[in-house]
Amino acid sequence: MSEDAAVDRKSIMTPFNICAGIIVIAGLIVTFIRFTQGLGAATNLSEYNPWGIWIGFDLLVGVALAAGGYVTSAAVYLFGMKRFHSAVRPAILTGFLGYLFVVVALHYDLGRPWRLPYPFIFGYGTTSMLFEVGLCVALYLTVLFLEFSTAPMEWLGYKRTRNLVHRLTLVLTIFGVVLSTLHQSSLGALFLIAPSKLHPLWYSPYLPTYFFVSSIIAGLSMVIFEGTLAHRAFHHKMDEAHKAEHNPLTLGFGKAASLVLAGYFSIKVIGIAAGNHWHLLATGYGFWFLVELMGFIALPCLLYAMGVREQNLKLIRFTAAWTVLGIIINRLNVSIIAFNWQLPSSERYFPHWMEFTISIFIVTLIVLAYRFIVTRMPILYEHPEYKDSH
Amino acid sequence: MSISRRKFLGWLGAAGAGTTIGSKANAASNKVFKGYPDSMGVLHDATLCVGCRECEAACNKVNELSAPDKPFTDLTVLDVKRRTKNEAFTVVNRYDGIPESKGPVFRKTQCNHCLEPACASACFVRAFKKTESGAVVWDESVCVGCRYCMIACPFDIPTYEYDNPLTPKVLKCTMCAPRIEKGLLPGCVESCPKEALTYGKREDLIKIARDRISKYPDRYVDHIYGEHEMGGTSWLYLSSVPFEKIALREDLGITPAPSLTSGALGVVPMVVGLWPVLLTGVYAMSKRKEKIATEERETAVAEAIDKTTAEGEVKLSNAMAKAEKDKEKAIEKAVKTALEEAEKQAEEEAAAKTEAEAAKADQVEPDKSAGKDQAEKIDEAQTEEADEAPKTKDAKTNDEEES
């Protein structure tokens, strides 16, 4: 008995679990502080800087990086890339968890989080981009929940409901793409109302288009990136189809990402031309803009193309991680780094350590939820009773 | 898929309609909103302001805000630049060292009560309202506390109770809307000893401001700040120095805030309407491509089968013909051999007979066993040939299965 207990203890006390445990405890403590003492105690937000990393990272980056769900399901179900079918479930799962925890994180930032449904009950502030974001995120979270729900239903054996939901796949996929197009772009459009606050190199009437196009890049890169991580941690959970389809998927999505990055690069340059902001490139912010444009758009575009041509999976995987970093930098540039650029440095924002804690806490919760689900439900493999029914 | 396309598009249409109810996309229209008729405003003449902070004190009093650390009579607070705070809906700042002015210039800050407010446009619960009296007011009962109004405000006016964990308010000047309803002046206007603040109909205020500029062209910059900025504001400013020197941004433009997002909002129903068409089209195309590919594959398979079958039949018939021929040959041969042997035997018998006749006359009987052997041999040859035929048939079946 005691030996068994010792073994159990050893299997639970892995370095990963210990780190996760510490983060979760820290997160819970900060959560307590946030909801008892207010945003003032837990954040460095101010009158000039009402949005910090809980919006810039948790919301903007979170939603962009959760784009893998709609990108993959559209590729497989609408564009007919059935050979990547095994990638849909993991992508839907990470998309669902991403959006779910975006909404969870939003509760930290909102002054009165329990009023989150108010815009759809009392206000109906249809002139607000945020209304559009809220409505689409709420609907899309529902769509993702339904798309994902087949996995737990297979796990729990609700065969009839599962088959009913399964028949909705096509409708849900199309609805998901429509909603994603809308809210991914609307997140960029949030900043259209503040031309006097966002640096002109980042402010553009094309902001919604930039956000939408870059969300496709984020989705493609995240599927490759997550796939790489999943292969390291959950290889034993994958069926033959999943393993066999992974490398072609990496090549296929890498090729697509390279193409979309090329388009994104073009429209970013067109944005500079349209605003005639060339002279600003010679400033400090211009340098930072060029780092983003050349280092995180042009470079990964090239690296992806090289990786695909040389069938270099390692290079593609590295590029995927690099591109994800670029998306994070872009969202932070728009919401924080180039926002309020005219204010003196004393009025600028830098996150409080508790803000970092909550952001890391949320990411950890996503990873833990992902692990809980893939070790139990048919995500990386097909359920034997539902084979060929996709 | 058991859902009809019609049904599906209907659902999407319904969802799309939900997002568009009540929204207007007038970015490209020629409509211009010049404020509610007869709405009120305040004209702040910075050339008359002496920085006495009486307005701040009055504002604090009428809005029942908490008392500041330093009393309002302490003018040293003007040494640093201040902004609106939760405890101060208005502040006066002093601007020193402006070449266009002999002494310091004072300017009062508070909500400008835009004609088309950015905060109201940005609010997703419509907590902000531009009243017909001109004031922009905030409704606590619906506010979610997202602070998008603060992002949107080009003048950085709204403040937020960051230290209130459960019921934080957004705070800003209300143009003393409750007092105006009672027929009173806004607190700050009433308290100003130098008449640097004038309350009245916005249209009249613009006339007054124009009069002052034309009467004293040396004293004023020829511009009424707020007449057109961000589509126009209810608070208007006159100054002796360029407005950017007294922290009123001159790069805001004259586009009202709602126009900045109306274009993007206008795209929403288009996406809802057209994306499903495009995506269903893409789906149909990929489906059709797949169907054609399947059909082509099936045709190819059928052709291959036909070809193999035909070949097999030819082979079979050839084999059969050959077998038939071989059989005939074997029979012929066997018959021939048998005949020859029989002849031979007959000859031998005849010879023997002759011999026997010659020797023992009628004692020996003719040998029949040799003839029997010949008959058996013929039978065997026939059976072997018959065996070959089924074998050919088997080969044909195998071909079919493989293909």
Side-chain angles (χ1 to χ4, degrees), chain B residues 155-187:
Chain B
F155 303 107
D156 286 319
I157 295 302
T159 63
Y160 184 79
E161 292 181 327
Y162 284 106
D163 293 325
N164 184 340
L166 294 174
T167 55
K169 289 181 193 145
V170 173
L171 297 166
K172 69 170 197 67
C173 158
T174 62
M175 212 158 112
C176 282
R179 282 171 64 88
I180 290 170
E181 268 175 36
K182 288 183 208 161
L184 298 167
L185 282 173

PDB file of all heavy atoms in Angstrom, chain B residues 155-187:
ATOM      1  N   PHE B 155      -9.942  63.492 -25.737  1.00  0.00           N
ATOM      2  CA  PHE B 155      -9.485  64.520 -24.797  1.00  0.00           C
ATOM      3  C   PHE B 155      -9.039  63.919 -23.464  1.00  0.00           C
ATOM      4  O   PHE B 155      -8.734  64.653 -22.527  1.00  0.00           O
ATOM      5  CB  PHE B 155     -10.615  65.535 -24.558  1.00  0.00           C
ATOM      6  CG  PHE B 155     -11.110  66.175 -25.830  1.00  0.00           C
ATOM      7  CD1 PHE B 155     -12.350  65.821 -26.371  1.00  0.00           C
ATOM      8  CD2 PHE B 155     -10.329  67.106 -26.511  1.00  0.00           C
ATOM      9  CE1 PHE B 155     -12.797  66.400 -27.549  1.00  0.00           C
ATOM     10  CE2 PHE B 155     -10.791  67.689 -27.685  1.00  0.00           C
ATOM     11  CZ  PHE B 155     -12.019  67.333 -28.211  1.00  0.00           C
ATOM     12  N   ASP B 156      -9.020  62.591 -23.353  1.00  0.00           N
ATOM     13  CA  ASP B 156      -8.582  61.905 -22.116  1.00  0.00           C
ATOM     14  C   ASP B 156      -9.341  62.385 -20.890  1.00  0.00           C
ATOM     15  O   ASP B 156      -8.744  62.696 -19.854  1.00  0.00           O
ATOM     16  CB  ASP B 156      -7.066  62.114 -21.894  1.00  0.00           C
ATOM     17  CG  ASP B 156      -6.236  61.275 -22.842  1.00  0.00           C
ATOM     18  OD1 ASP B 156      -6.596  60.118 -23.066  1.00  0.00           O
ATOM     19  OD2 ASP B 156      -5.226  61.803 -23.366  1.00  0.00           O
ATOM     20  N   ILE B 157     -10.646  62.449 -20.984  1.00  0.00           N
ATOM     21  CA  ILE B 157     -11.429  63.028 -19.895  1.00  0.00           C
ATOM     22  C   ILE B 157     -11.967  62.012 -18.882  1.00  0.00           C
ATOM     23  O   ILE B 157     -11.752  62.176 -17.679  1.00  0.00           O
ATOM     24  CB  ILE B 157     -12.594  63.882 -20.464  1.00  0.00           C
ATOM     25  CG1 ILE B 157     -12.028  65.088 -21.213  1.00  0.00           C
ATOM     26  CG2 ILE B 157     -13.542  64.321 -19.346  1.00  0.00           C
ATOM     27  CD1 ILE B 157     -11.139  66.004 -20.393  1.00  0.00           C
ATOM     28  N   PRO B 158     -12.659  60.944 -19.294  1.00  0.00           N
ATOM     29  CA  PRO B 158     -13.294  60.077 -18.281  1.00  0.00           C
ATOM     30  C   PRO B 158     -12.256  59.449 -17.350  1.00  0.00           C
ATOM     31  O   PRO B 158     -11.150  59.126 -17.772  1.00  0.00           O
ATOM     32  CB  PRO B 158     -13.987  58.985 -19.110  1.00  0.00           C
ATOM     33  CG  PRO B 158     -14.052  59.514 -20.491  1.00  0.00           C
ATOM     34  CD  PRO B 158     -12.886  60.431 -20.655  1.00  0.00           C
ATOM     35  N   THR B 159     -12.631  59.294 -16.105  1.00  0.00           N
ATOM     36  CA  THR B 159     -11.766  58.625 -15.137  1.00  0.00           C
ATOM     37  C   THR B 159     -12.532  57.445 -14.553  1.00  0.00           C
ATOM     38  O   THR B 159     -13.730  57.295 -14.785  1.00  0.00           O
ATOM     39  CB  THR B 159     -11.329  59.580 -14.015  1.00  0.00           C
ATOM     40  OG1 THR B 159     -12.492  59.993 -13.298  1.00  0.00           O
ATOM     41  CG2 THR B 159     -10.615  60.788 -14.587  1.00  0.00           C
ATOM     42  N   TYR B 160     -11.828  56.634 -13.782  1.00  0.00           N
ATOM     43  CA  TYR B 160     -12.395  55.351 -13.377  1.00  0.00           C
ATOM     44  C   TYR B 160     -11.984  55.041 -11.954  1.00  0.00           C
ATOM     45  O   TYR B 160     -10.847  55.324 -11.558  1.00  0.00           O
ATOM     46  CB  TYR B 160     -11.874  54.286 -14.334  1.00  0.00           C
ATOM     47  CG  TYR B 160     -12.411  52.894 -14.138  1.00  0.00           C
ATOM     48  CD1 TYR B 160     -13.671  52.556 -14.618  1.00  0.00           C
ATOM     49  CD2 TYR B 160     -11.645  51.905 -13.536  1.00  0.00           C
ATOM     50  CE1 TYR B 160     -14.154  51.266 -14.477  1.00  0.00           C
ATOM     51  CE2 TYR B 160     -12.126  50.619 -13.396  1.00  0.00           C
ATOM     52  CZ  TYR B 160     -13.386  50.297 -13.875  1.00  0.00           C
ATOM     53  OH  TYR B 160     -13.859  49.027 -13.752  1.00  0.00           O
ATOM     54  N   GLU B 161     -12.890  54.451 -11.199  1.00  0.00           N
ATOM     55  CA  GLU B 161     -12.577  54.124  -9.806  1.00  0.00           C
ATOM     56  C   GLU B 161     -11.823  52.790  -9.732  1.00  0.00           C
ATOM     57  O   GLU B 161     -12.410  51.758  -9.437  1.00  0.00           O
ATOM     58  CB  GLU B 161     -13.861  54.055  -8.981  1.00  0.00           C
ATOM     59  CG  GLU B 161     -14.530  55.411  -8.813  1.00  0.00           C
ATOM     60  CD  GLU B 161     -15.797  55.346  -7.966  1.00  0.00           C
ATOM     61  OE1 GLU B 161     -16.502  54.316  -8.014  1.00  0.00           O
ATOM     62  OE2 GLU B 161     -16.080  56.320  -7.272  1.00  0.00           O
ATOM     63  N   TYR B 162     -10.522  52.860  -9.998  1.00  0.00           N
ATOM     64  CA  TYR B 162      -9.725  51.628 -10.029  1.00  0.00           C
ATOM     65  C   TYR B 162      -9.669  50.933  -8.670  1.00  0.00           C
ATOM     66  O   TYR B 162      -9.417  49.733  -8.591  1.00  0.00           O
ATOM     67  CB  TYR B 162      -8.298  51.933 -10.497  1.00  0.00           C
ATOM     68  CG  TYR B 162      -8.200  52.175 -11.986  1.00  0.00           C
ATOM     69  CD1 TYR B 162      -8.020  53.447 -12.498  1.00  0.00           C
ATOM     70  CD2 TYR B 162      -8.288  51.108 -12.888  1.00  0.00           C
ATOM     71  CE1 TYR B 162      -7.924  53.667 -13.859  1.00  0.00           C
ATOM     72  CE2 TYR B 162      -8.201  51.319 -14.244  1.00  0.00           C
ATOM     73  CZ  TYR B 162      -8.024  52.599 -14.729  1.00  0.00           C
ATOM     74  OH  TYR B 162      -7.937  52.798 -16.087  1.00  0.00           O
ATOM     75  N   ASP B 163      -9.874  51.707  -7.603  1.00  0.00           N
ATOM     76  CA  ASP B 163      -9.761  51.101  -6.277  1.00  0.00           C
ATOM     77  C   ASP B 163     -11.075  50.532  -5.770  1.00  0.00           C
ATOM     78  O   ASP B 163     -11.144  50.011  -4.658  1.00  0.00           O
ATOM     79  CB  ASP B 163      -9.208  52.128  -5.277  1.00  0.00           C
ATOM     80  CG  ASP B 163      -7.761  52.471  -5.621  1.00  0.00           C
ATOM     81  OD1 ASP B 163      -7.040  51.557  -6.089  1.00  0.00           O
ATOM     82  OD2 ASP B 163      -7.363  53.641  -5.451  1.00  0.00           O
ATOM     83  N   ASN B 164     -12.119  50.651  -6.569  1.00  0.00           N
ATOM     84  CA  ASN B 164     -13.411  50.093  -6.179  1.00  0.00           C
ATOM     85  C   ASN B 164     -13.545  48.695  -6.792  1.00  0.00           C
ATOM     86  O   ASN B 164     -13.664  48.551  -7.997  1.00  0.00           O
ATOM     87  CB  ASN B 164     -14.512  51.030  -6.694  1.00  0.00           C
ATOM     88  CG  ASN B 164     -15.896  50.593  -6.261  1.00  0.00           C
ATOM     89  OD1 ASN B 164     -16.105  49.440  -5.910  1.00  0.00           O
ATOM     90  ND2 ASN B 164     -16.829  51.520  -6.301  1.00  0.00           N
ATOM     91  N   PRO B 165     -13.506  47.648  -5.941  1.00  0.00           N
ATOM     92  CA  PRO B 165     -13.443  46.292  -6.516  1.00  0.00           C
ATOM     93  C   PRO B 165     -14.736  45.807  -7.159  1.00  0.00           C
ATOM     94  O   PRO B 165     -14.695  44.967  -8.055  1.00  0.00           O
ATOM     95  CB  PRO B 165     -13.089  45.417  -5.308  1.00  0.00           C
ATOM     96  CG  PRO B 165     -13.525  46.196  -4.124  1.00  0.00           C
ATOM     97  CD  PRO B 165     -13.428  47.639  -4.479  1.00  0.00           C
ATOM     98  N   LEU B 166     -15.877  46.273  -6.707  1.00  0.00           N
ATOM     99  CA  LEU B 166     -17.124  45.683  -7.188  1.00  0.00           C
ATOM    100  C   LEU B 166     -18.024  46.636  -7.968  1.00  0.00           C
ATOM    101  O   LEU B 166     -18.727  46.204  -8.879  1.00  0.00           O
ATOM    102  CB  LEU B 166     -17.906  45.092  -6.011  1.00  0.00           C
ATOM    103  CG  LEU B 166     -17.204  43.899  -5.357  1.00  0.00           C
ATOM    104  CD1 LEU B 166     -17.954  43.461  -4.112  1.00  0.00           C
ATOM    105  CD2 LEU B 166     -17.076  42.734  -6.328  1.00  0.00           C
ATOM    106  N   THR B 167     -18.034  47.910  -7.612  1.00  0.00           N
ATOM    107  CA  THR B 167     -18.926  48.834  -8.314  1.00  0.00           C
ATOM    108  C   THR B 167     -18.193  50.085  -8.794  1.00  0.00           C
ATOM    109  O   THR B 167     -18.566  51.208  -8.454  1.00  0.00           O
ATOM    110  CB  THR B 167     -20.087  49.271  -7.391  1.00  0.00           C
ATOM    111  OG1 THR B 167     -19.517  49.807  -6.193  1.00  0.00           O
ATOM    112  CG2 THR B 167     -20.997  48.123  -7.066  1.00  0.00           C
ATOM    113  N   PRO B 168     -17.123  49.886  -9.572  1.00  0.00           N
ATOM    114  CA  PRO B 168     -16.372  51.065 -10.023  1.00  0.00           C
ATOM    115  C   PRO B 168     -17.198  51.915 -10.991  1.00  0.00           C
ATOM    116  O   PRO B 168     -17.910  51.382 -11.840  1.00  0.00           O
ATOM    117  CB  PRO B 168     -15.160  50.455 -10.730  1.00  0.00           C
ATOM    118  CG  PRO B 168     -15.594  49.102 -11.145  1.00  0.00           C
ATOM    119  CD  PRO B 168     -16.587  48.639 -10.127  1.00  0.00           C
ATOM    120  N   LYS B 169     -17.079  53.231 -10.808  1.00  0.00           N
ATOM    121  CA  LYS B 169     -17.807  54.148 -11.682  1.00  0.00           C
ATOM    122  C   LYS B 169     -16.860  54.783 -12.687  1.00  0.00           C
ATOM    123  O   LYS B 169     -15.673  54.936 -12.423  1.00  0.00           O
ATOM    124  CB  LYS B 169     -18.424  55.271 -10.841  1.00  0.00           C
ATOM    125  CG  LYS B 169     -19.574  54.829  -9.971  1.00  0.00           C
ATOM    126  CD  LYS B 169     -20.100  56.050  -9.218  1.00  0.00           C
ATOM    127  CE  LYS B 169     -21.018  55.622  -8.101  1.00  0.00           C
ATOM    128  NZ  LYS B 169     -20.906  56.481  -6.918  1.00  0.00           N
ATOM    129  N   VAL B 170     -17.439  55.186 -13.813  1.00  0.00           N
ATOM    130  CA  VAL B 170     -16.740  56.072 -14.732  1.00  0.00           C
ATOM    131  C   VAL B 170     -17.192  57.477 -14.372  1.00  0.00           C
ATOM    132  O   VAL B 170     -18.392  57.734 -14.229  1.00  0.00           O
ATOM    133  CB  VAL B 170     -17.094  55.748 -16.199  1.00  0.00           C
ATOM    134  CG1 VAL B 170     -16.504  56.789 -17.136  1.00  0.00           C
ATOM    135  CG2 VAL B 170     -16.602  54.358 -16.555  1.00  0.00           C
ATOM    136  N   LEU B 171     -16.230  58.363 -14.188  1.00  0.00           N
ATOM    137  CA  LEU B 171     -16.586  59.696 -13.699  1.00  0.00           C
ATOM    138  C   LEU B 171     -16.112  60.776 -14.659  1.00  0.00           C
ATOM    139  O   LEU B 171     -15.037  60.668 -15.251  1.00  0.00           O
ATOM    140  CB  LEU B 171     -15.942  59.917 -12.324  1.00  0.00           C
ATOM    141  CG  LEU B 171     -16.430  58.963 -11.225  1.00  0.00           C
ATOM    142  CD1 LEU B 171     -15.501  59.036 -10.027  1.00  0.00           C
ATOM    143  CD2 LEU B 171     -17.853  59.278 -10.824  1.00  0.00           C
ATOM    144  N   LYS B 172     -16.953  61.786 -14.798  1.00  0.00           N
ATOM    145  CA  LYS B 172     -16.561  62.955 -15.593  1.00  0.00           C
ATOM    146  C   LYS B 172     -17.580  64.058 -15.372  1.00  0.00           C
ATOM    147  O   LYS B 172     -18.662  63.838 -14.802  1.00  0.00           O
ATOM    148  CB  LYS B 172     -16.464  62.595 -17.072  1.00  0.00           C
ATOM    149  CG  LYS B 172     -17.810  62.307 -17.708  1.00  0.00           C
ATOM    150  CD  LYS B 172     -17.682  62.188 -19.197  1.00  0.00           C
ATOM    151  CE  LYS B 172     -19.039  62.323 -19.875  1.00  0.00           C
ATOM    152  NZ  LYS B 172     -19.610  63.673 -19.749  1.00  0.00           N
ATOM    153  N   CYS B 173     -17.224  65.246 -15.841  1.00  0.00           N
ATOM    154  CA  CYS B 173     -18.109  66.415 -15.781  1.00  0.00           C
ATOM    155  C   CYS B 173     -19.427  66.101 -16.475  1.00  0.00           C
ATOM    156  O   CYS B 173     -19.458  65.485 -17.537  1.00  0.00           O
ATOM    157  CB  CYS B 173     -17.399  67.570 -16.480  1.00  0.00           C
ATOM    158  SG  CYS B 173     -18.491  68.871 -17.055  1.00  0.00           S
ATOM    159  N   THR B 174     -20.520  66.526 -15.844  1.00  0.00           N
ATOM    160  CA  THR B 174     -21.839  66.285 -16.429  1.00  0.00           C
ATOM    161  C   THR B 174     -22.444  67.573 -16.980  1.00  0.00           C
ATOM    162  O   THR B 174     -23.611  67.623 -17.315  1.00  0.00           O
ATOM    163  CB  THR B 174     -22.803  65.747 -15.361  1.00  0.00           C
ATOM    164  OG1 THR B 174     -22.939  66.759 -14.352  1.00  0.00           O
ATOM    165  CG2 THR B 174     -22.289  64.463 -14.754  1.00  0.00           C
ATOM    166  N   MET B 175     -21.625  68.610 -17.056  1.00  0.00           N
ATOM    167  CA  MET B 175     -22.089  69.963 -17.395  1.00  0.00           C
ATOM    168  C   MET B 175     -23.170  70.383 -16.386  1.00  0.00           C
ATOM    169  O   MET B 175     -24.050  71.184 -16.703  1.00  0.00           O
ATOM    170  CB  MET B 175     -22.630  70.014 -18.827  1.00  0.00           C
ATOM    171  CG  MET B 175     -22.401  71.357 -19.497  1.00  0.00           C
ATOM    172  SD  MET B 175     -22.453  71.155 -21.293  1.00  0.00           S
ATOM    173  CE  MET B 175     -23.942  72.018 -21.699  1.00  0.00           C
ATOM    174  N   CYS B 176     -23.081  69.763 -15.206  1.00  0.00           N
ATOM    175  CA  CYS B 176     -24.073  70.013 -14.144  1.00  0.00           C
ATOM    176  C   CYS B 176     -25.496  69.808 -14.658  1.00  0.00           C
ATOM    177  O   CYS B 176     -26.394  70.638 -14.394  1.00  0.00           O
ATOM    178  CB  CYS B 176     -23.894  71.406 -13.540  1.00  0.00           C
ATOM    179  SG  CYS B 176     -22.522  71.482 -12.382  1.00  0.00           S
ATOM    180  N   ALA B 177     -25.687  68.720 -15.387  1.00  0.00           N
ATOM    181  CA  ALA B 177     -27.016  68.436 -15.947  1.00  0.00           C
ATOM    182  C   ALA B 177     -28.130  68.504 -14.900  1.00  0.00           C
ATOM    183  O   ALA B 177     -29.189  69.075 -15.167  1.00  0.00           O
ATOM    184  CB  ALA B 177     -27.005  67.083 -16.645  1.00  0.00           C
ATOM    185  N   PRO B 178     -27.924  67.959 -13.664  1.00  0.00           N
ATOM    186  CA  PRO B 178     -29.006  68.058 -12.662  1.00  0.00           C
ATOM    187  C   PRO B 178     -29.325  69.509 -12.294  1.00  0.00           C
ATOM    188  O   PRO B 178     -30.489  69.859 -12.090  1.00  0.00           O
ATOM    189  CB  PRO B 178     -28.432  67.305 -11.456  1.00  0.00           C
ATOM    190  CG  PRO B 178     -27.307  66.492 -11.976  1.00  0.00           C
ATOM    191  CD  PRO B 178     -26.766  67.221 -13.154  1.00  0.00           C
ATOM    192  N   ARG B 179     -28.289  70.357 -12.231  1.00  0.00           N
ATOM    193  CA  ARG B 179     -28.511  71.773 -11.898  1.00  0.00           C
ATOM    194  C   ARG B 179     -29.232  72.489 -13.045  1.00  0.00           C
ATOM    195  O   ARG B 179     -30.120  73.310 -12.811  1.00  0.00           O
ATOM    196  CB  ARG B 179     -27.168  72.467 -11.614  1.00  0.00           C
ATOM    197  CG  ARG B 179     -26.593  72.179 -10.227  1.00  0.00           C
ATOM    198  CD  ARG B 179     -25.182  72.713 -10.093  1.00  0.00           C
ATOM    199  NE  ARG B 179     -25.127  74.185 -10.210  1.00  0.00           N
ATOM    200  CZ  ARG B 179     -25.283  75.021  -9.173  1.00  0.00           C
ATOM    201  NH1 ARG B 179     -25.517  74.529  -7.961  1.00  0.00           N
ATOM    202  NH2 ARG B 179     -25.213  76.327  -9.344  1.00  0.00           N
ATOM    203  N   ILE B 180     -28.818  72.148 -14.268  1.00  0.00           N
ATOM    204  CA  ILE B 180     -29.439  72.806 -15.423  1.00  0.00           C
ATOM    205  C   ILE B 180     -30.937  72.499 -15.464  1.00  0.00           C
ATOM    206  O   ILE B 180     -31.752  73.382 -15.747  1.00  0.00           O
ATOM    207  CB  ILE B 180     -28.744  72.354 -16.729  1.00  0.00           C
ATOM    208  CG1 ILE B 180     -27.326  72.931 -16.796  1.00  0.00           C
ATOM    209  CG2 ILE B 180     -29.538  72.797 -17.959  1.00  0.00           C
ATOM    210  CD1 ILE B 180     -26.468  72.372 -17.899  1.00  0.00           C
ATOM    211  N   GLU B 181     -31.270  71.254 -15.119  1.00  0.00           N
ATOM    212  CA  GLU B 181     -32.689  70.883 -15.090  1.00  0.00           C
ATOM    213  C   GLU B 181     -33.470  71.746 -14.114  1.00  0.00           C
ATOM    214  O   GLU B 181     -34.635  72.052 -14.321  1.00  0.00           O
ATOM    215  CB  GLU B 181     -32.829  69.408 -14.696  1.00  0.00           C
ATOM    216  CG  GLU B 181     -32.851  68.473 -15.889  1.00  0.00           C
ATOM    217  CD  GLU B 181     -32.864  67.029 -15.465  1.00  0.00           C
ATOM    218  OE1 GLU B 181     -33.505  66.700 -14.442  1.00  0.00           O
ATOM    219  OE2 GLU B 181     -32.191  66.225 -16.149  1.00  0.00           O
ATOM    220  N   LYS B 182     -32.792  72.123 -13.020  1.00  0.00           N
ATOM    221  CA  LYS B 182     -33.444  72.960 -12.007  1.00  0.00           C
ATOM    222  C   LYS B 182     -33.395  74.435 -12.378  1.00  0.00           C
ATOM    223  O   LYS B 182     -33.849  75.291 -11.621  1.00  0.00           O
ATOM    224  CB  LYS B 182     -32.746  72.776 -10.654  1.00  0.00           C
ATOM    225  CG  LYS B 182     -33.019  71.443  -9.992  1.00  0.00           C
ATOM    226  CD  LYS B 182     -32.327  71.437  -8.630  1.00  0.00           C
ATOM    227  CE  LYS B 182     -31.969  70.017  -8.226  1.00  0.00           C
ATOM    228  NZ  LYS B 182     -30.931  70.009  -7.191  1.00  0.00           N
ATOM    229  N   GLY B 183     -32.775  74.737 -13.510  1.00  0.00           N
ATOM    230  CA  GLY B 183     -32.686  76.131 -13.936  1.00  0.00           C
ATOM    231  C   GLY B 183     -31.489  76.865 -13.369  1.00  0.00           C
ATOM    232  O   GLY B 183     -31.419  78.093 -13.428  1.00  0.00           O
ATOM    233  N   LEU B 184     -30.532  76.094 -12.808  1.00  0.00           N
ATOM    234  CA  LEU B 184     -29.334  76.724 -12.257  1.00  0.00           C
ATOM    235  C   LEU B 184     -28.203  76.703 -13.289  1.00  0.00           C
ATOM    236  O   LEU B 184     -28.239  75.940 -14.249  1.00  0.00           O
ATOM    237  CB  LEU B 184     -28.889  75.989 -10.998  1.00  0.00           C
ATOM    238  CG  LEU B 184     -29.876  75.993  -9.828  1.00  0.00           C
ATOM    239  CD1 LEU B 184     -29.448  74.975  -8.777  1.00  0.00           C
ATOM    240  CD2 LEU B 184     -29.953  77.394  -9.214  1.00  0.00           C
ATOM    241  N   LEU B 185     -27.186  77.512 -13.060  1.00  0.00           N
ATOM    242  CA  LEU B 185     -26.004  77.494 -13.916  1.00  0.00           C
ATOM    243  C   LEU B 185     -25.085  76.354 -13.507  1.00  0.00           C
ATOM    244  O   LEU B 185     -25.109  75.926 -12.353  1.00  0.00           O
ATOM    245  CB  LEU B 185     -25.235  78.817 -13.747  1.00  0.00           C
ATOM    246  CG  LEU B 185     -25.776  80.054 -14.477  1.00  0.00           C
ATOM    247  CD1 LEU B 185     -24.965  81.270 -14.035  1.00  0.00           C
ATOM    248  CD2 LEU B 185     -25.696  79.878 -15.983  1.00  0.00           C
ATOM    249  N   PRO B 186     -24.240  75.865 -14.410  1.00  0.00           N
ATOM    250  CA  PRO B 186     -23.208  74.921 -13.973  1.00  0.00           C
ATOM    251  C   PRO B 186     -22.359  75.557 -12.876  1.00  0.00           C
ATOM    252  O   PRO B 186     -22.112  76.772 -12.900  1.00  0.00           O
ATOM    253  CB  PRO B 186     -22.383  74.695 -15.249  1.00  0.00           C
ATOM    254  CG  PRO B 186     -23.301  75.034 -16.365  1.00  0.00           C
ATOM    255  CD  PRO B 186     -24.202  76.123 -15.846  1.00  0.00           C
ATOM    256  N   GLY B 187     -21.931  74.734 -11.912  1.00  0.00           N
ATOM    257  CA  GLY B 187     -21.205  75.236 -10.752  1.00  0.00           C
ATOM    258  C   GLY B 187     -20.020  76.112 -11.123  1.00  0.00           C
ATOM    259  O   GLY B 187     -19.834  77.203 -10.566  1.00  0.00           O
TER     260      GLY B 187
END
